[in-house]
């Protein structure tokens, strides 16, 4: 049997889960644009949870959203053929439930695609007409921007400016005063001034400017102490006691960020992975093609490069979450696992905290 303390902890966890579900549900509702009476719906309908239902009742499409927490009032949507309130796309994020053949036929006659995404935001299936998850007009704009160097650079400059502003905020609030911090702040401020007064003329120049700021920024991370529980000081590699590089220092091949060999980089990679998932879902829901990158388009053709474009402004916030954990806690060897090839991964409970 469960003791009283365990039961109290379980109830507390349930209350917190309910509170956070309600919080994010309210945030989603607040972000939805208001549709005028004679205006066609422009926002997609996003569904998730367990027990979803999509069917036709007396000629109208009936949708019941899934359950994500308890207690919860199940939301229902009713759409009539030709209605201006019919969403341009219906997106199911993970979830489970049922859909009837009549509902699939209804969606096809209304030119409304039904897009199902996996938990990581990748497309699992597209049904209805058109059988394409993206909005052709938005994809055309992506391609036009991608084909014009000046438009590419202007698009990227806005994202990079937001990223550098977030980076500067981190430098000001998350690091102790030091020469490295001072040089990184000066570098970020100079880059912002350049973007304002004489912005780069090519994507290559823009990436070079951002890279300079990024290198100075991550050098500042060396000033952040990493605390380990006393019993684990001899149980972890020497290079885990400090932070030196964003790259995998002990990798056998060319150093990269992908296969972390340091706990801090493992936490950063997980935080960026969560950001990537959220960004991919938002891009697909908004009707863009995640594979048509604008800034990153010429770097990797086998990845969702537009996702990496749109992620840039969110990276400093992900960094901030990891920096806060480093500043406020001490780590144990049990918080991480190491593969035979030396790749470091975070434990499930630590991963849950990073994703919170």
């Amino acid at each position: 049997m469960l003791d009283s303390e365990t039961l109290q902890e379980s109830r507390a966890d349930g209350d917190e889960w309910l509170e956070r579900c309600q919080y994010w549900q309210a945030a989603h509702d607040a972000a939805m644009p208001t549709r005028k009476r004679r205006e066609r719906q422009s926002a997609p309908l996003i569904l998730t949870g367990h027990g979803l239902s999509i069917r036709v009742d007396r000629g109208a499409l009936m949708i019941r959203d899934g359950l994500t927490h308890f207690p919860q009032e199940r939301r229902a949507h009713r759409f009539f053929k030709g209605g201006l309130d019919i969403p341009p796309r219906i997106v199911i994020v993970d979830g489970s439930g049922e859909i009837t053949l009549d509902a699939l036929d209804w969606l096809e006659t209304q030119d409304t695609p039904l897009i199902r995404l996996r938990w990581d935001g990748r497309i699992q299936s597209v049904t209805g007409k058109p059988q394409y998850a993206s909005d052709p007009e938005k994809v055309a704009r992506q391609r036009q921007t991608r084909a014009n160097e000046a438009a590419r650079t202007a698009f990227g400059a806005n994202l990079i400016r937001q990223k550098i502003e977030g980076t500067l905020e981190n430098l000001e609030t998350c690091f102790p005063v030091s020469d490295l911090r001072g040089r990184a702040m000066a570098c970020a401020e100079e880059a912002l001034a350049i973007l304002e007064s004489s912005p780069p003329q090519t994507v290559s120049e823009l990436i070079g400017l951002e890279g300079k700021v990024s290198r100075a920024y991550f050098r500042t991370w060396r000033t952040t102490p990493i605390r380990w529980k006393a019993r684990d000081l001899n149980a972890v590699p020497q290079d885990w006691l400090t932070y030196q590089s964003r790259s995998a220092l002990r990798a056998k091949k060319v150093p990269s960020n992908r296969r972390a060999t340091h706990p801090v980089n493992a936490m950063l990679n997980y935080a960026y992975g969560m950001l990537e998932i959220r960004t991919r879902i938002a891009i697909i829901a908004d009707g863009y093609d995640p594979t048509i990158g604008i800034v990153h388009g010429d770097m990797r053709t086998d990845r969702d490069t537009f996702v990496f474009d749109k992620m840039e402004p969110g990276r400093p916030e992900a960094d901030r979450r990891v920096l806060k954990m480093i500043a406020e806690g001490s780590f144990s060897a049990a918080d991480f696992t190491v593969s035979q090839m030396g790749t470091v991964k975070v434990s499930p409970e630590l991963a849950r905290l990073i994703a919170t």
Side-chain angles (χ1 to χ4, degrees), residues 67-316:
L67 296 173
T68 58
H69 56 279
F70 179 84
Q72 178 182 4
E73 182 179 349
R74 189 186 292 270
R75 299 189 173 195
H77 309 268
R78 187 180 183 93
F79 301 107
F80 294 92
K81 292 180 179 179
L84 294 177
D85 62 336
I86 298 175
R89 292 170 302 283
I90 298 175
V91 182
I92 300 176
V93 182
D94 204 8
S96 64
E98 61 181 10
I99 180 170
T100 66
L101 295 177
D102 288 345
L104 293 176
D105 294 339
W106 195 99
L107 291 170
E108 184 174 8
T109 63
Q110 300 302 303
D111 294 337
T112 304
L114 176 69
I115 305 162
R116 187 174 184 198
L117 305 181
R118 300 190 321 185
W119 64 270
D120 60 358
R122 298 187 184 277
I123 295 176
Q124 190 169 31
S125 65
V126 180
T127 57
K129 192 172 66 173
Q131 290 189 336
Y132 182 52
S134 304
D135 183 327
E137 293 184 2
K138 292 183 177 181
V139 173
R141 290 202 297 271
Q142 281 181 267
R143 295 187 186 279
Q144 290 170 1
T145 304
R146 177 70 181 84
N148 184 303
E149 184 69 13
R152 284 183 70 197
T153 307
F155 173 86
N158 181 49
L159 298 176
I160 296 305
R161 183 180 64 255
Q162 295 177 61
K163 180 181 181 180
I164 295 177
E165 289 172 347
T167 296
L168 186 58
E169 180 182 345
N170 286 357
L171 289 166
E172 292 173 342
T173 60
C174 300
F175 295 93
V177 176
S178 68
D179 289 342
L180 286 174
R181 173 179 176 266
R183 287 196 289 270
M185 290 179 64
C187 183
E189 290 168 348
E190 179 186 6
L192 289 174
I194 291 174
L195 288 170
E196 181 67 27
S197 60
S198 54
Q201 299 301 301
T202 67
V203 169
S204 179
E205 292 177 6
L206 179 64
I207 292 174
L209 182 67
E210 186 276 332
K212 182 180 178 182
V213 174
S214 181
R215 288 189 294 273
Y217 169 58
F218 277 107
R219 279 196 292 269
T220 308
W221 284 59
R222 300 174 186 176
T223 65
T224 301
I226 304 172
R227 290 187 290 272
W228 293 89
K229 294 186 180 300
R231 67 174 183 272
D232 291 319
L233 288 176
N234 295 323
V236 299
Q238 189 69 24
D239 60 338
W240 285 19
L241 304 181
T242 58
Y243 183 80
Q244 294 296 322
S245 172
R246 179 69 184 98
S247 299
L249 297 179
R250 294 182 286 116
K252 294 182 179 179
K253 297 182 180 180
V254 178
S256 71
N257 302 341
R258 295 189 63 191
R259 293 179 175 84
T261 57
H262 190 283
V264 172
N265 285 334
M267 290 191 289
L268 283 171
N269 286 354
Y270 194 88
Y272 293 155
M274 294 296 100
L275 174 62
E276 178 184 342
I277 291 170
R278 292 193 297 271
T279 305
R280 180 181 291 108
I281 291 172
I283 285 172
I284 294 173
D286 206 25
Y288 290 98
D289 188 329
T291 67
I292 303 176
I294 293 174
V295 177
H296 292 81
D298 56 351
M299 295 183 179
R300 291 290 298 268
T301 59
D302 60 337
R303 301 169 73 184
D304 290 347
T305 48
F306 193 57
V307 175
F308 294 101
D309 286 349
K310 300 293 282 185
M311 278 176 59
E312 293 294 348
R315 288 182 183 272

Side-chain angles (χ1 to χ4, degrees), residues 46-63:
I46 311 295
L47 306 173
T48 190
H50 300 287
L52 285 159
S53 173
I54 305 178
R55 60 187 178 84
V56 174
D57 178 49
R58 299 180 183 180
L61 185 70
M62 292 291 299
I63 299 177

